Amino acid sequence: MTQTKTPLPDVDLTQMAAQLEALGHPTRLALYRLMVRAGPEGIPVGRLQEALGIPASTLSHHLAKLTAQGLVSRERQATTLICRADFDTMNGLVGFLNDECCADSCTRARPDAPVAADGDA
Amino acid sequence: MTQTKTPLPDVDLTQMAAQLEALGHPTRLALYRLMVRAGPEGIPVGRLQEALGIPASTLSHHLAKLTAQGLVSRERQATTLICRADFDTMNGLVGFLNDECCADSCTRARPDAPVAADGDA
DNA sequence: ATCATTATTCGAACAATTTAGAAATAGCAG
DNA sequence: CTGCTATTTCTAAATTGTTCGAATAATGAT
C-alpha cells in the first residue's frame, strides 16, 4: 500500500484497452469462460476445440491473442497443451473497471472508492 | 433481483463481447473514463474533444460506438450534446465478468459467488 | 527412424475498423 | 434569412483483424 488512491495519470489505459479488446470477441470470450469453468487444473486445447467446433488454426490464433495479453497461460503436458485462465490479470482488469470506470452505482464492490476526485472545474 | 444466480446457459456472450470490444480501444476507454469522472451531470462532446485532441469526426465515430452498446447516453442541451456514462450497463458488464469470468481469486467483490457450479464433466 | 497425435505457424483471401477532411444538420442569435 | 457554433454524416484510404487450409514442430510409442 504505497498509495491509497490511484495517481490518476493513466494507470495503464493502453494495456487495459488491449485486454478488453482481447476479451471483446465472442469466440475469445467463450474460450476464456471455458477456461474459468475448468478451474485451476486447466483445459487442453483439443477440449476447447471440441467445445467450440472451430478449426484448429483459428482457435490457435485466438488463444495466442489471449495469451499475449496475459489473460491465459499455457503449460505443456506430454503432447497436449493445458490452458488456464490467469485470474490475476482478470482481477486487475475488473479492479480497473471498478476503480476507474464505475461511479456511485458501482459501490457494491468498493464502498470507499473516490469515484471522481480530481481537480476539474 | 429476479435471479440470485445466473441461469448459466449463455447470459449474453455476444452482447458482452460487443461491450468489451467497444471499451477495448484506448481512445474509447479514455473517453468513457472522462465521462465517468464527469459524473451524473455529464460532459459535452466539445469538452471531450479538447481533452483528447482528436478530430471531431473521429471522436463522433467512437462516441457512436459506445452509444450503440448502451455504454453511453447523449442528451441535447441547446447546441451542445451532453454525454453521460451509463453505469447500469457497466455494472452489468462488471457483474458478468465477476460471475462468469472470475474464480476463487476474485472473491473480493462477491464472496458468495458460485464460481463454476455447473454440471461439470 | 518412422508414425500418429497435438497444436502452432504460414500464407492468402476477405471483412471490418480506424482515421480524418469535407459537406451537411441542428440550434440559437441578430 | 444569414451567420455562427457544435456535432454528425459522408466518403474514402490505410491499417488491422478474421478465417482456414496446408505445411511445420513437438512429443511419445512401436
Side-chain angles (χ1 to χ4, degrees):
Chain A
M1 34 314 270
T2 27
Q3 45 194 22
T4 316
K5 45 191 297 192
T6 6
L8 254 295
D10 76 42
V11 193
D12 269 332
L13 253 191
T14 310
Q15 192 186 354
M16 291 298 134
Q19 293 179 358
L20 287 166
E21 192 207 21
L23 289 171
H25 187 284
T27 302
R28 287 193 296 264
L29 189 53
L31 234 25
Y32 188 84
R33 194 170 58 162
L34 280 169
M35 290 182 238
V36 169
R37 292 199 182 154
E41 64 176 291
I43 179 171
V45 175
R47 212 92 136 30
L48 293 170
Q49 185 178 3
E50 278 170 32
L52 294 187
I54 60 178
S57 60
T58 303
L59 172 63
S60 198
H61 172 82
H62 287 306
L63 235 31
K65 203 156 210 164
L66 287 169
T67 306
Q69 294 309 325
L71 285 160
V72 163
S73 67
R74 281 180 285 188
E75 188 206 348
R76 187 128 233 159
Q77 220 168 80
T79 43
T80 68
L81 264 177
I82 305 296
C83 297
R84 259 181 278 268
D86 187 315
F87 298 117
D88 237 43
T89 302
M90 176 56 90
N91 285 337
L93 183 55
V94 171
F96 166 78
L97 291 178
N98 263 320
D99 293 353
E100 300 257 24
C101 291
C102 283
D104 43 83
S105 332
C106 207
T107 10
R108 57 181 236 191
R110 307 220 359 175
D112 53 327
V115 173
D118 61 327
D120 192 341
Chain B
M1 286 96 169
T2 27
Q3 43 191 28
T4 317
K5 45 188 299 187
T6 10
L8 253 293
D10 76 44
V11 192
D12 269 332
L13 252 191
T14 311
Q15 191 186 353
M16 291 298 135
Q19 293 178 357
L20 288 166
E21 192 206 20
L23 289 171
H25 187 286
T27 302
R28 287 194 295 266
L29 189 52
L31 234 26
Y32 188 84
R33 194 170 58 162
L34 281 169
M35 291 182 236
V36 169
R37 292 200 183 152
E41 64 178 287
I43 179 171
V45 175
R47 212 86 138 32
L48 293 169
Q49 184 178 3
E50 278 170 31
L52 294 187
I54 59 178
S57 60
T58 303
L59 172 63
S60 197
H61 171 83
H62 287 305
L63 235 32
K65 202 156 209 163
L66 286 169
T67 306
Q69 295 309 325
L71 286 160
V72 164
S73 66
R74 283 180 282 188
E75 187 205 350
R76 243 225 138 93
Q77 219 168 82
T79 44
T80 68
L81 263 177
I82 306 295
C83 297
R84 258 180 279 269
D86 187 315
F87 298 116
D88 236 43
T89 302
M90 177 55 92
N91 285 336
L93 184 55
V94 172
F96 166 77
L97 290 177
N98 263 319
D99 292 353
E100 299 258 25
C101 290
C102 283
D104 43 84
S105 333
C106 206
T107 11
R108 59 179 239 193
R110 306 218 0 175
D112 54 326
V115 172
D118 61 324
D120 187 79

